[in-house]
Amino acid sequence: MKLYDLELSGNCYKVRLLAALAGIPLDIVAVDFMAGEHKKPPLIDLNPWGEIPILVDGDVVLRDSQAILVYLAAKYAGETWLPKDPAGMATVVQWLSTSANEVQNGPGAARLVDKFGFALDKADTLRRAARILPLIEAHLARHAWLALDRPTIADCAVMPYVALAPEGGVLLADFPNIRQWIARIKALPGFVAMPGV
Ligand SMILES: N[C@@H](CCC(=O)N[C@@H](CS)C(=O)NCC(=O)O)C(=O)O
C-alpha cells in the first residue's frame, strides 16, 4: 500500500501517524513537491486535485487525508480508531470536518503563509485560529480525547496542524489543555513525530 507523501505536510503526517499508532504498514513514496511532481502525470492522474497525500491500495485510490484515515481505520484497524455505531462514528466525523475546515483554514493556513510563503490573507487565518483553538481548548478541559474515551482518527486528524500552529505564529502558551492532549498523543505506543511536532 503506497502513500504519496511529503515529510513537511501535516496532511500527509495525519496518515503516517495513524499508520504508526495502529501498526499499519505503508510504503512511503516521497513526492518532489518543490518540482511540482504532484501536478504532473502520473500523480495528477491519481488525484486531479493536484494534492497529496494520495493512498493507493490495490485498485483503491484515495485523496484527502480525512478520507484516507477513514479507509485505513475501517479496513485495517477494526473499530479501535473508528467505531461502527452511528453516534460514535458521527462524533468522530464531526472532528474530521473540523480538521478539514476550521483547523486547516486557521492555524494550518497561517503556517502556509509563514513557512511556505503562500499568498493567503494572514489576518484572516489568525482570526480563524483565534476562534477554533479556544473551542478545542474548552472541549479538552472536559475530555482526554477529542471524540471518544480513547484516541481515534479524530485525534490523528486534528492534532498535526494544531501542534504546528506556532510555525504560523499562533502560540499554544494559553492553551494548556491542548498542550497536554498533544503530550498524551506523543506518549501513545508507536507514536511518530514530524518536523515541528
Ligand atoms: N483536503 C486535503 C488537502 C490536501 C492538501 O492541501 N495538500 C497539500 C500539501 S499539505 C497540497 O498537496 N497542496 C498542493 C499545492 O499546494 O500545490 C487533505 O486533507 O489531504
Side-chain angles (χ1 to χ4, degrees):
M1 182 161 49
K2 283 188 180 164
L3 176 70
Y4 291 90
D5 179 71
L6 173 70
E7 191 187 22
L8 293 181
S9 158
N11 285 317
C12 294
Y13 174 56
K14 295 172 195 176
V15 179
R16 296 198 304 275
L17 177 60
L18 173 68
L21 295 174
I24 301 168
L26 282 182
D27 177 9
I28 305 283
V29 182
V31 172
D32 190 345
F33 197 79
M34 299 315 288
E37 193 185 346
H38 53 306
K39 306 287 189 195
K40 302 172 196 157
L43 291 193
I44 198 73
D45 300 323
L46 295 176
N47 179 9
W49 271 231
E51 296 172 346
I52 49 174
I54 304 168
L55 186 85
V56 178
D57 185 18
D59 292 340
V60 177
V61 179
L62 290 169
R63 62 172 168 80
D64 188 84
S65 52
Q66 286 66 230
I68 295 170
L69 291 178
V70 166
Y71 176 79
L72 290 179
K75 180 144 191 202
Y76 294 108
E79 292 202 43
T80 309
W81 294 89
L82 175 63
K84 283 190 188 146
D85 74 279
M89 183 186 285
T91 303
V92 170
V93 172
Q94 279 184 158
W95 287 101
L96 301 186
S97 290
T98 301
S99 163
N101 182 11
E102 289 91 344
V103 173
Q104 179 74 58
N105 295 319
R111 175 176 176 264
L112 285 178
V113 175
D114 281 13
K115 196 171 170 73
F116 300 102
F118 276 51
L120 301 172
D121 180 344
K122 179 74 194 285
D124 182 60
T125 67
L126 294 179
R127 269 192 300 274
R128 290 170 186 268
R131 172 174 175 261
I132 189 58
L133 290 178
L135 289 171
I136 297 174
E137 174 72 7
H139 181 80
L140 289 169
R142 292 173 287 112
H143 302 90
W145 307 101
L146 289 181
L148 302 178
D149 59 359
R150 62 177 189 271
T152 65
I153 59 172
D155 302 281
C156 295
V158 173
M159 186 276 272
Y161 286 115
V162 170
L164 292 166
E167 292 191 349
V170 178
L171 302 183
L172 298 177
D174 292 340
F175 302 116
N177 298 318
I178 288 179
R179 286 190 277 110
Q180 285 163 22
W181 164 69
I182 293 169
R184 278 194 292 280
I185 295 174
K186 288 184 174 178
L188 291 171
F191 173 82
V192 289
M194 70 166 275
V197 169

